[in-house]
Amino acid sequence: MNSKIRNIFRLITCLAVLTQPARLCAQNLDASYMSAGGKLRPLQAIMDIRHNTLALDVDIKNQSIDGYMETDLILSKSTDTLLFDLVHLLRVHAIEVDKGKAEFVQTGDSIFVLNKAGFNAGKHTVRISYGGKPPVAVRPPWTGGFTWTTDKAGNPWVAISVQLQGAKMYYPCKDHPSDEPNEGVDMFITIPRGLSVAGPGLLQSVKNVANNKAVWHWKTNYTISNYCVVFDIAKYKVYTRPYTTVEGHQVPIQFYVLEVDSAQAREVLNIRARDTRILEKYFGEYPWYKEKIGIAEVPNSGMEHQTMITYGGENFNYKKYPGFNYSPNLFHEFTHEWWANKVTNKDWAHMWIQEGITTYAEALFFKETLGDAAYDSVMVSQHAGIRSQKPVVQAEELDMANVYNGDVYSKGSFFMHTLRHVIGDSVFFPALKKFVTDVKFPYDRFFTTKDMQVYFNTVSGKNLDALFDFYLRTTNTMDFELKQNRPDTWTLSIKNSPMDLPVDIQTSAGIIKTNIAANKSTPFRIISKTQPIVDPHGWYFKKVIIQ
Ligand SMILES: [Zn+2]
């Protein structure tokens, strides 16, 4: 069933039984229809989230959580209703606004906080006490929720993955990528003593409390995406090595590895240091140098949780290359610290900015380690992976379920490759780095495709709008038709091209460098004893029909 129809159906069911919603709606344990983001609702558009404090007691045996989320927010205008998102499986016990008891209605996956007299414009603190059994992850990290499992030694191992379904899967929030808590997040996670919590930012304290439990306080002062506000619990050991950023800042690399996998720690730290150095070369200083470069081992393939990216699923079986190991999963999630966590898309419709450029970084890794031919072979395989069933950018303000597909990765990446050729290395590479590091683009800014378009037009001095549209807003390929007229004479017709672009043609006499016009009607004559090869380097997403 289409996820939207399913959502509406479930909401109607819940509304119809509003007198006893907890009992009946709780029977619907499926939360896989949920999707992050979408159209920003007016009640949430007036809220600017400033800071979150998440305090949860995690009952591993019962697979439940209990506690509160306290949110500091600024209302841009007065309202009689505040709206938060929370999966229906978790029940709200009480809500306080500015330390006073507040009326509320919890229905479906929404919480409406009500005040007939109105909440004035300005700053408010909302504390939502809640608890219950959060959704269990069906196929983490994609169909997410909580993973409750054990390590090889039988110790509890808990991980959270909520990027696709949204942080509302486990805490009350404004579940939209365009707003992050500007002043960061405090997390107080209570767990059985003897286990550890891996979280974002810096560990402030671990305090023993009653019932043989301990409270782990993690704090980040940086702005952070909702889905990165997560924690992992395990019998972890922490391995650390120092790292000096390209700008000279000292930041620790910390690996929260399962105690049973301790022998793997050294190589992960080595890989992390090397990959960070390469990523800094292309994208600038590690963005979160005031806190840490964190990694936590989890029982899934990993996610870009800010300052504590997660890693797992490969069983430490790296790809082997002469002189080095490579982990595609580690490298991908590392790269997201720049593209996703620092440069964040404003809504999921523009997810290619995060995933496409992160995927492109894989080619840059091989350019750096094995040379240009290795870069080229990555791009050939990414070209082959483009499906072109839907445009990469289909519209504006889309939720994750309508956006997520492979082309956001492969075609988004291939677009960067084409752009590199069109504007040239001397413009492209500095521009890419500047986009991440420029103080004009601070940590709390969000980006759309249009923002990137305007930026690359400015830095290149070219109008690239048609190229952006062609690659990102259509499923078209550049179409060429090559026809042999005589044994050594050919004509090349350009059937479809977004704009004037530089194209190489390989002939028996060498490479011809030419420019093709958009939808050029006059065929291009080529003299070659061998069949010419259009775009032999493979810079373009194209089809060549040989007649
Ligand atoms: Zn990714």
Side-chain angles (χ1 to χ4, degrees):
M1 200 189 294
N2 174 300
S3 64
K4 267 191 182 165
I5 296 169
R6 198 166 170 170
N7 197 2
I8 291 164
F9 175 76
R10 200 195 49 69
L11 182 61
I12 290 168
T13 309
C14 286
L15 287 171
V17 293
L18 203 55
T19 51
Q20 40 187 329
R23 184 167 60 82
L24 288 183
C25 291
Q27 289 173 358
N28 182 355
L29 298 175
D30 181 12
S32 58
Y33 63 87
M34 292 181 75
S35 184
K39 197 155 180 57
L40 185 56
R41 289 172 291 177
L43 280 175
Q44 292 192 328
I46 60 171
M47 292 176 12
D48 175 15
I49 306 298
R50 306 303 300 180
H51 183 269
N52 280 330
T53 301
L54 181 62
L56 289 176
D57 192 323
V58 182
D59 184 340
I60 295 173
K61 201 169 154 205
N62 287 312
Q63 302 188 348
S64 66
I65 54 175
D66 194 66
Y68 65 85
M69 168 60 95
E70 188 171 278
T71 297
D72 296 328
L73 57 88
I74 295 173
L75 289 175
S76 60
K77 59 181 190 182
S78 62
T79 177
D80 58 9
T81 309
L82 303 173
L83 172 59
F84 291 88
D85 304 299
L86 181 68
V87 65
H88 64 282
L89 299 173
L90 298 169
R91 303 309 300 172
V92 175
H93 310 313
I95 298 181
E96 286 180 9
V97 179
D98 303 325
K99 295 197 173 5
K101 191 168 179 257
E103 296 298 317
F104 68 92
V105 173
Q106 182 179 14
T107 179
D109 301 316
S110 298
I111 305 163
F112 297 91
V113 188
L114 310 168
N115 181 357
K116 279 186 195 142
F119 301 107
N120 293 332
K123 192 165 180 182
H124 296 277
T125 299
V126 182
R127 179 184 282 216
I128 301 177
S129 301
Y130 71 106
K133 287 175 180 274
V136 172
V138 177
R139 197 171 65 94
W142 299 284
T143 309
F146 274 57
T147 301
W148 309 91
T149 187
T150 52
D151 67 19
K152 282 174 267 183
N155 300 302
W157 195 9
V158 182
I160 305 172
S161 324
V162 290
Q163 187 196 29
L164 273 68
Q165 287 76 30
K168 58 181 175 266
M169 289 280 272
Y170 95 101
Y171 68 81
C173 58
K174 170 183 171 182
D175 194 24
H176 199 274
S178 67
D179 199 0
E180 295 180 354
N182 308 60
E183 289 133 36
V185 170
D186 282 79
M187 257 186 181
F188 296 88
I189 307 301
T190 305
I191 58 162
R193 263 181 243 174
L195 299 175
S196 300
V197 176
L202 293 172
L203 183 61
Q204 306 295 304
S205 61
V206 181
K207 286 189 180 143
N208 289 339
V209 291
N211 301 322
N212 207 27
K213 290 182 176 182
V215 181
W216 288 65
H217 178 195
W218 283 96
K219 180 184 186 64
T220 179
N221 287 310
Y222 287 114
T223 182
I224 182 169
S225 299
N226 281 343
Y227 70 90
C228 288
V229 179
V230 290
F231 55 88
D232 307 294
I233 303 169
K235 183 97 175 161
Y236 283 127
K237 248 186 120 160
V238 187
Y239 288 85
T240 302
R241 69 172 269 177
Y243 181 82
T244 306
T245 70
V246 71
E247 299 294 337
H249 293 107
Q250 297 288 321
V251 55
I253 303 178
Q254 290 183 346
F255 183 25
Y256 279 67
V257 61
L258 292 181
E259 205 170 84
V260 290
D261 289 330
S262 292
Q264 308 290 343
R266 191 187 166 88
E267 181 60 1
V268 169
L269 292 173
N270 287 342
I271 288 174
R272 183 60 165 125
R274 175 203 67 199
D275 291 356
T276 305
R277 190 62 73 210
I278 291 173
L279 290 164
E280 285 192 314
K281 176 179 171 181
Y282 285 97
F283 306 135
E285 185 176 30
Y286 175 71
W288 321 101
Y289 61 84
K290 289 180 186 166
E291 294 184 346
K292 72 177 183 305
I293 299 174
I295 311 150
E297 186 181 354
V298 292
N300 62 64
S301 63
M303 183 57 74
E304 64 257 30
H305 300 150
Q306 187 172 302
T307 70
M308 189 61 97
I309 69 117
T310 54
Y311 173 62
E314 290 180 339
N315 209 16
F316 303 97
N317 288 322
Y318 308 113
K319 290 184 184 244
K320 305 268 179 212
Y321 292 93
F324 67 92
N325 288 330
Y326 175 67
S327 161
N329 287 1
L330 272 174
F331 187 78
H332 183 89
E333 307 311 336
F334 289 163
T335 310
H336 276 311
E337 293 280 29
W338 286 259
W339 297 97
N341 297 342
K342 173 63 167 63
V343 177
T344 307
N345 47 226
K346 193 171 183 181
D347 85 77
W348 292 119
H350 307 282
M351 193 188 189
W352 75 271
I353 298 171
Q354 302 190 173
E355 295 299 351
I357 301 177
T358 290
T359 303
Y360 181 64
E362 186 177 336
L364 298 178
F365 173 86
F366 283 103
K367 178 174 165 26
E368 202 57 27
T369 50
L370 296 177
D372 288 339
Y375 167 99
D376 291 343
S377 69
V378 172
M379 294 322 304
V380 166
S381 82
Q382 290 185 4
H383 186 288
I386 298 171
R387 294 281 167 270
S388 269
Q389 285 163 345
K390 287 178 183 173
V392 170
V393 181
Q394 300 169 58
E396 299 293 322
E397 289 198 277
L398 296 178
D399 65 82
M400 183 66 94
N402 282 301
V403 169
Y404 197 79
N405 73 75
D407 281 4
V408 168
Y409 295 74
S410 53
K411 198 174 176 191
S413 170
F414 201 83
F415 176 56
M416 285 293 110
H417 174 63
T418 300
L419 192 60
R420 175 188 170 195
H421 179 59
V422 172
I423 66 178
D425 284 5
S426 62
V427 177
F428 176 76
F429 286 117
L432 209 51
K433 185 189 283 188
K434 197 157 189 257
F435 199 89
V436 192
T437 54
D438 198 326
V439 289
K440 279 188 284 181
F441 298 151
Y443 284 73
D444 57 359
R445 237 198 98 164
F446 301 90
F447 298 92
T448 63
T449 303
K450 185 80 187 165
D451 293 325
M452 296 219 76
Q453 207 165 314
V454 169
Y455 175 77
F456 277 104
N457 283 351
T458 306
V459 295
S460 68
K462 293 182 178 182
N463 185 341
L464 301 162
D465 289 355
L467 189 69
F468 270 79
D469 286 347
F470 190 87
Y471 267 77
L472 301 174
R473 297 188 176 91
T474 80
T475 55
N476 296 342
T477 46
M478 286 171 64
D479 296 329
F480 298 87
E481 203 173 83
L482 186 68
K483 205 170 174 177
Q484 186 168 23
N485 303 320
R486 283 196 295 251
D488 64 348
T489 310
W490 307 71
T491 47
L492 181 68
S493 308
I494 294 112
K495 298 293 182 188
N496 196 16
S497 168
M499 58 183 279
D500 289 6
L501 293 168
V503 171
D504 296 345
I505 299 164
Q506 172 99 55
T507 71
S508 58
I511 298 255
I512 302 170
K513 289 196 175 292
T514 185
N515 250 57
I516 55 158
N519 302 314
K520 187 179 179 179
S521 50
T522 318
F524 188 83
R525 183 177 292 268
I526 303 165
I527 306 295
S528 178
K529 291 192 180 77
T530 52
Q531 182 176 299
I533 301 169
V534 181
D535 180 33
H537 198 92
W539 292 110
Y540 293 108
F541 180 52
K542 65 180 185 297
K543 262 195 235 138
V544 182
I545 299 155
I546 319 265
Q547 286 205 325

